[in-house]
């Protein structure tokens, strides 16, 4: 992973000193609340329903053992001994005190971490595929480009006061695991016919109040031009984006208002001035960045023998077989697999992780996966480089730690925002909904039989739980001061992206598990051989499920 | 009139900003005028070039300024709110695309904690809100010892300068 040099360290140290001074001046009454607001947000600090919330950046989801241990120590010293993984690969603390935040940032800086631009109307963390560098379907490793773009965006002086927040996702594989179609800018790394690396550029995607699938504005941008092209897009947005109404301020609204063609023309015109300038990437910089993401020293293993052993272990242990099937993933190096550590056991808020668990992940990375872990936008963690022969002992260690819930990609692997239990924006609680559904579908064999099924829950229309792209989406709404839940079907965040459609009137909390059960039962009854929930939904149609859920008993 | 920070020092602000209709005569003394007035009174302004500056609103296009920018002693960019970031882009355009080398001043509502970014995009003068002590604010001009990306104050990104 990327390692800081003296300049990187100095820049982050400067930032910590700056925020320490700003916090002191704010507490002394020298900075007004409304002026302090963007300053603290761009240092990751929200004021939440119960306490401040500090969102710490995990750049494109990569985290080292030393960083995990530091995060654990911080949650113990300054918080309540746990943290929460977000849907954009970051990690957040729910209970820090404002006065402690400069010290927390200083502690983070010691392990080359920060909370820079994790909130506020600026360029946020770059997110990517959690299997970057190891996925068999990868075309180009996105991590060096993510790091180059991360540096460009960090303290970008022109784009710190945009009309609204700005999120960029990068994907380097054929299968989209980064939801690039639902970001302000989505970047797909591709090779052209000459074998040169470049980006397909999408703009104007997003969830929130107005969900939109992003539009392609450039089929192929040679990779060396990425910074000037991003700068052109951001400049057009910064100058033209709506600043009167924050609900109409995202770039998707501007793209829609101008029309994709006119927006593309404006970007290309701006880019003509910037193209080939000093921000054009050099061979030396590309080589430097790539040098931080080389393959680790994989062992020379006999894949055939390993496969046989694994098959034997799986045959003798159903629980291991389930986990192996659901929670481990193909690796581009024979004899290796990637392992997802589930943070979705029933009864724990999805994505929550304790200090002890953070320490455990640190230890596991050192013993099984070259000292690094990844965070996923589905709120789990990944050990990317595990020797297949080590899977059985690893699984035995994961089980008592609570990481082996074998439900990856299933109905029980829900994406869920913190909701009304924590968030001041929420209209309704979301974590208890996740839990009641997990309890209702406790029969694992039944859940496996359902196959891949994304169920996403948001506590309000800001859509942090990505309900618009769940095959089943649940949205908390407020009806005359009471919490209700709207059910949506048919969303998908992958390459065949789709937005979910609302099924009908919202339900009370107690009705939600029954509604989900009716939908699932109808799928099971109607599906044809091998048909996934999403495929069946697309074939049977929205009205079919509407009838199933809202049919009056005769 | 708010205190003025220019080129790293607190100085007196001599420039007035009267509201002028296009046909109004130019007031005496150093004066900032709107783009509309500027474009309508080019001859008068040329005669007094060193004491007439331009006040640009964030939705105005630098390409619409009549005549060359070389002889303009002062361009001020108005920030209607400190969170309105359009002025940051306008400043870079004036410096990097229109090669404006005169005084570039942030007026309206910029706050002390934006100073380091304002410097980076090309401003060299600032009128801060009244509740900021301008002398103390000087410390915020150089919050960062280096920066990653190219901008008006440093045309080379860090990756072209790393040792």
């Amino acid at each position: 992973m990327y390692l800081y040099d003296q300049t990187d360290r100095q820049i982050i140290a400067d930032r910590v000193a700056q925020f320490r001074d700003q916090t002191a001046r704010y507490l002394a009454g020298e900075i007004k609340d409304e002026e302090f607001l963007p300053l603290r947000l761009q240092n990751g600090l929200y004021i939440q329903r119960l306490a401040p919330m500090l969102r710490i950046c995990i750049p494109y989801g990569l985290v080292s053992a030393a960083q995990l241990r530091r995060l654990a120590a911080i949650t113990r010293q300054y918080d309540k001994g746990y943290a929460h993984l977000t849907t954009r690969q970051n990690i957040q603390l729910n209970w820090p005190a404002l006065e402690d935040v400069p010290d927390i940032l200083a502690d983070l800086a010691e392990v080359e971490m920060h909370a820079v631009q994790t909130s506020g109307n600026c360029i946020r963390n770059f997110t990517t595929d959690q299997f970057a560098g190891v996925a068999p379907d990868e075309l180009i490793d996105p991590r060096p480009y993510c790091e180059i773009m991360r540096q460009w965006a960090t303290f970008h002086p022109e784009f710190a006061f945009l009309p609204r927040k700005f999120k960029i996702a990068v994907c380097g594989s054929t299968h989209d695991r980064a939801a690039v179609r639902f970001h302000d800018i989505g970047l797909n790394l591709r090779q052209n016919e000459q074998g040169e690396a470049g980006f397909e550029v999408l703009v104007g995607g997003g969830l929130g109040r107005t969900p939109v699938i992003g539009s392609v504005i450039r089929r192929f941008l040679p990779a060396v031009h990425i910074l000037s092209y991003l700068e052109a897009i951001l400049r057009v947005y910064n100058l033209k984006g709506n600043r009167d109404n924050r609900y109409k301020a995202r770039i998707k609204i501007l793209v829609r208002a101008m029309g994709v063609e006119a927006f593309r023309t404006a970007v290309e015109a701006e880019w003509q001035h910037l193209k080939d300038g000093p921000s054009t990437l050099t061979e030396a910089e590309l080589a430097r960045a790539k040098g931080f993401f080389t393959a680790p020293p994989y062992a020379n293993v006999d894949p055939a023998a390993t496969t046989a052993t694994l098959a034997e272990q799986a045959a003798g242990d159903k629980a291991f077989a389930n986990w192996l099937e659901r929670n481990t993933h193909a690796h581009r190096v024979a004899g290796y697999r990637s392992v997802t550590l589930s943070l979705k056991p029933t009864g724990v808020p999805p994505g929550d992780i304790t200090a002890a668990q953070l320490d455990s992940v640190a230890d596991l990375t050192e013993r099984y996966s070259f000292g690094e872990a990844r965070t996923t936008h589905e709120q789990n963690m990944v050990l990317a480089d595990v020797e297949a022969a080590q899977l059985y002992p690893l699984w035995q260690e994961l089980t008592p730690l609570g990481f082996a819930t074998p439900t990856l990609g299933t109905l029980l692997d829900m994406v869920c925002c913190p909701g009304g239990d924590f968030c001041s924006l929420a209209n309704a609680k979301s974590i208890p909904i996740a839990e009641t559904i997990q309890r209702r579908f406790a029969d694992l064999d039944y859940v496996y039989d359902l196959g891949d099924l994304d169920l996403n829950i948001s506590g309000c229309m800001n859509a942090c739980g990505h309900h618009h792209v769940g095959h089943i989406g649940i949205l908390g709404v407020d009806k005359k001061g009471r919490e209700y839940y709207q059910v949506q079907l048919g969303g998908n965040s992958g390459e065949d992206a789709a937005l979910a459609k609302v099924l009908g009137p919202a339900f009370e909390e107690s009705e939600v598990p029954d509604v989900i059960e009716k939908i699932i039962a109808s799928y099971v009854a109607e599906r044809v051989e091998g048909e996934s929930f999403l495929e069946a939904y697309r074939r049977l149609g929205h009205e079919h499920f509407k009838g199933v859920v809202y049919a009056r008993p005769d | 009139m708010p205190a003025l920070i220019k080129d790293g020092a607190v100085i007196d602000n001599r420039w007035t900003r009267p509201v002028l209709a296009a046909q109004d005569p130019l007031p005496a003394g150093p004066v900032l005028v709107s783009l509309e007035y500027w474009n309508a009174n080019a001859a008068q302004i040329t005669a007094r070039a060193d004491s007439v500056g331009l006040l640009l609103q964030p939705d105005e296009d630098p390409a619409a300024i009549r005549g060359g920018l070389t002889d303009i002693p002062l361009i001020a960019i108005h920030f209607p709110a400190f969170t309105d970031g359009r002025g940051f882009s306008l400043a870079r355009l004036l410096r990097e695309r229109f090669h404006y080398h005169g005084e570039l001043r942030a007026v309206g509502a910029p706050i002390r904690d934006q100073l380091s970014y304002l410097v980076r995009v090309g401003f060299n003068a600032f009128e801060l809100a009244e509740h900021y002590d301008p002398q103390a604010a000087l410390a915020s001009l150089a919050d960062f010892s280096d920066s990653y990306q190219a901008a008006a104050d440093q045309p080379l990104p860090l990756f072209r300068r790393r040792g």
Side-chain angles (χ1 to χ4, degrees):
Chain A
M1 65 192 289
Y2 185 71
L3 299 175
Y4 284 13
D5 71 4
Q6 185 49 40
T7 310
D8 298 306
R9 271 191 289 277
Q10 186 57 52
I11 290 173
I12 291 300
D14 292 343
R15 175 60 152 203
V16 175
Q18 181 193 44
F19 191 62
R20 192 180 291 285
D21 175 60
Q22 289 167 343
T23 304
R25 284 189 281 121
Y26 171 70
L27 292 171
E30 294 170 29
I31 305 182
K32 295 178 183 177
D33 279 338
E34 65 269 28
E35 293 171 351
F36 189 57
L37 175 75
L39 307 180
R40 66 169 165 78
L41 289 178
Q42 298 204 21
N43 285 283
L45 184 62
Y46 282 79
I47 304 295
Q48 286 283 36
R49 176 162 285 180
L50 302 169
M53 182 275 278
L54 182 68
R55 185 180 293 147
I56 297 164
C57 187
I58 311 284
Y60 38 95
L62 283 191
V63 63
S64 71
Q67 291 173 334
L68 288 163
R69 290 198 179 96
R70 181 55 58 95
L71 288 169
I74 286 171
T75 68
R76 287 193 184 98
Q77 185 177 347
Y78 301 101
D79 207 282
K80 294 188 177 180
Y82 70 96
H84 175 78
L85 296 199
T86 77
T87 50
R88 293 201 76 254
Q89 299 186 293
N90 290 319
I91 191 162
Q92 59 197 36
L93 307 181
N94 282 317
W95 312 93
L98 168 63
E99 309 81 70
D100 288 337
V101 171
D103 290 336
I104 297 173
L105 298 181
D107 288 0
L108 288 170
E110 287 179 0
V111 291
E112 305 184 359
M113 295 188 84
H114 57 73
V116 171
Q117 292 167 211
T118 53
S119 179
N121 296 334
C122 53
I123 305 168
R124 305 287 191 86
N125 189 17
F126 288 77
T127 53
T128 192
D129 180 4
Q130 66 265 32
F131 301 120
V134 299
D137 69 338
E138 185 166 277
L139 306 165
I140 298 171
D141 187 346
R143 295 171 301 170
Y145 297 99
C146 286
E147 178 55 30
I148 285 169
M149 292 188 281
R150 181 193 74 81
Q151 295 191 14
W152 164 80
T154 299
F155 311 130
H156 199 302
E158 186 179 347
F159 305 129
F161 296 90
L162 295 169
R164 201 71 178 83
K165 59 187 170 184
F166 205 91
K167 300 175 179 179
I168 303 177
V170 191
C171 183
S173 53
T174 50
H175 183 63
D176 178 7
R177 285 178 292 266
V180 297
R181 284 156 187 79
F182 295 102
H183 280 76
D184 295 289
I185 294 178
L187 299 171
N188 281 316
L189 271 162
R190 296 287 180 259
Q191 276 186 346
N192 66 6
E193 282 163 11
Q194 290 74 47
E196 296 160 333
F199 294 94
E200 179 186 50
V201 183
L202 294 91
V203 295
L207 300 174
R209 284 168 190 250
T210 315
V212 182
I213 297 175
S215 305
V216 175
I217 58 163
R218 200 167 228 280
R219 288 277 163 211
F220 188 83
L221 175 77
V224 294
H225 295 305
I226 187 61
L227 299 186
S228 58
Y229 201 80
L230 290 178
E231 203 141 300
I233 296 173
L234 264 297
R235 184 170 289 167
V236 169
Y237 171 56
N238 192 38
L239 286 170
K240 306 275 184 216
N242 186 319
R243 289 176 183 274
D244 299 328
N245 178 349
R246 74 192 302 268
Y247 301 119
K248 305 238 178 271
R250 296 288 290 269
I251 196 173
K252 60 193 172 191
I253 308 290
L254 177 67
V255 172
R256 187 177 272 185
M258 290 177 74
V260 175
E261 241 349 270
F263 183 82
R264 192 191 69 81
T265 304
V267 168
E268 292 284 330
E270 182 61 36
W271 185 52
Q272 290 312 311
H273 294 285
L274 304 172
K275 186 173 181 275
D276 298 321
S279 296
T280 310
L281 298 181
T282 59
E283 281 304 316
E285 175 62 359
L286 282 165
R288 187 183 98 92
K290 287 175 185 171
F292 291 105
F293 302 97
T294 52
Y298 293 117
N300 216 342
V301 297
D302 176 357
T306 309
T307 307
T309 312
L310 271 181
E312 204 172 297
Q313 288 162 334
D317 192 329
K318 179 80 185 316
F320 176 66
N322 287 343
W323 176 83
L324 184 67
E325 163 72 20
R326 293 293 344 177
N327 291 29
T328 77
H329 319 273
H331 196 288
R332 67 182 175 80
V333 175
Y336 276 80
R337 288 188 74 80
S338 297
V339 173
T340 299
L341 311 189
S342 167
L343 298 180
K344 311 287 176 68
T346 299
V348 175
D352 271 16
I353 185 165
T354 67
Q357 285 181 311
L358 285 164
D359 279 332
S360 299
V361 178
D363 294 344
L364 293 169
T365 66
E366 286 173 338
R367 287 187 289 118
Y368 291 99
S369 195
F370 303 99
E372 286 178 26
R374 288 112 183 267
T375 51
T376 80
H377 79 269
E378 294 95 357
Q379 302 174 287
N380 293 308
M381 294 197 76
V382 163
L383 304 183
D385 296 292
V386 180
E387 204 183 316
Q390 298 296 316
L391 288 170
Y392 195 74
L394 171 60
W395 172 74
Q396 289 176 310
E397 291 202 56
L398 293 180
T399 304
L401 292 169
F403 290 136
T405 310
T407 57
L408 254 287
T410 70
L411 172 67
L412 301 184
D413 183 28
M414 285 172 238
V415 172
C416 181
C417 72
D421 293 306
F422 295 97
C423 178
S424 53
L425 301 173
N427 290 323
K429 291 191 274 295
S430 50
I431 291 167
I433 294 291
E435 186 175 341
T436 55
I437 294 170
Q438 284 171 330
R439 293 199 187 284
R440 177 66 62 97
F441 292 91
D443 178 352
L444 267 187
D445 286 330
Y446 183 70
V447 168
Y448 290 148
D449 178 58
L450 302 176
D452 287 341
L453 213 172
D454 294 346
L455 194 154
N456 296 356
I457 308 172
S458 301
C460 76
M461 65 176 98
N462 292 303
C464 297
H466 298 177
H467 63 276
H468 299 299
V469 291
H471 304 159
I472 301 175
I474 299 177
L475 167 65
V477 294
D478 177 279
K479 268 197 192 175
K480 296 180 185 148
R482 292 190 59 194
E483 297 183 0
Y484 275 74
Y485 296 87
Q486 203 179 65
V487 175
Q488 315 188 351
L489 296 181
N492 188 34
S493 67
E495 51 280 4
D496 55 341
L499 293 165
K501 276 174 68 182
V502 178
L503 204 53
F507 301 97
E508 288 187 48
E509 180 177 348
S510 61
E511 297 175 291
V512 172
D514 289 338
V515 170
I516 303 303
E517 197 168 351
K518 279 183 196 167
I519 293 168
I520 297 292
S522 175
Y523 156 63
V524 170
E526 303 286 342
R527 67 182 164 184
V528 296
E529 186 63 32
E531 197 176 40
S532 72
F533 176 82
L534 188 63
E535 288 160 353
Y537 168 81
R538 287 175 175 174
R539 177 175 61 81
L540 294 163
H542 198 70
E543 290 306 311
H544 167 81
F545 286 96
K546 196 169 181 165
V548 165
V549 168
Y550 292 98
R552 285 162 178 270
D554 291 327
Chain B
M1 197 174 290
L4 179 69
I5 293 173
K6 186 182 170 188
D7 297 329
V10 181
I11 61 164
D12 288 337
N13 183 4
R14 301 176 303 119
W15 292 77
T16 59
R17 278 185 275 174
V19 178
L20 299 174
Q23 67 279 10
D24 288 347
L26 260 180
V31 61
L32 282 165
V33 302
S34 68
L35 178 62
E36 186 191 2
Y37 190 92
W38 183 275
N39 286 343
N41 296 280
Q44 279 172 279
I45 287 168
T46 309
R48 269 185 52 186
D50 57 352
S51 65
V52 185
L54 175 62
L55 176 62
L56 213 54
Q57 298 300 325
D59 60 348
E60 290 175 336
D61 182 354
I65 302 169
R66 267 180 72 177
L69 275 65
T70 323
D71 296 326
I72 306 180
L74 166 61
I75 297 178
I77 295 177
H78 183 235
F79 286 74
F82 78 95
T83 50
D84 185 332
R86 289 175 291 180
F88 290 88
S89 286
L90 286 184
R92 284 194 72 184
L93 287 174
L94 283 168
R95 291 293 196 209
E96 296 172 51
R97 187 158 314 159
F98 295 89
H99 307 291
Y100 173 66
H101 297 297
E103 177 181 340
L104 188 57
R105 186 186 292 193
V107 304
I111 63 170
R112 167 179 166 172
D113 293 287
Q114 292 176 308
L115 284 174
S116 63
Y117 285 174
L118 289 165
V119 168
R120 290 225 59 214
V121 297
F123 289 102
N124 67 322
F126 318 91
E127 289 180 21
L128 295 184
E130 302 276 1
H131 64 284
Y132 285 97
D133 172 355
Q135 209 64 48
L138 295 179
S140 295
L141 284 168
D143 276 352
F144 290 95
S145 51
D146 208 333
S147 48
Y148 285 110
Q149 56 297 98
D153 68 328
Q154 170 51 272
L156 294 182
L158 182 60
F159 68 78
R160 289 183 185 265
R161 297 182 285 112
R162 276 195 206 262

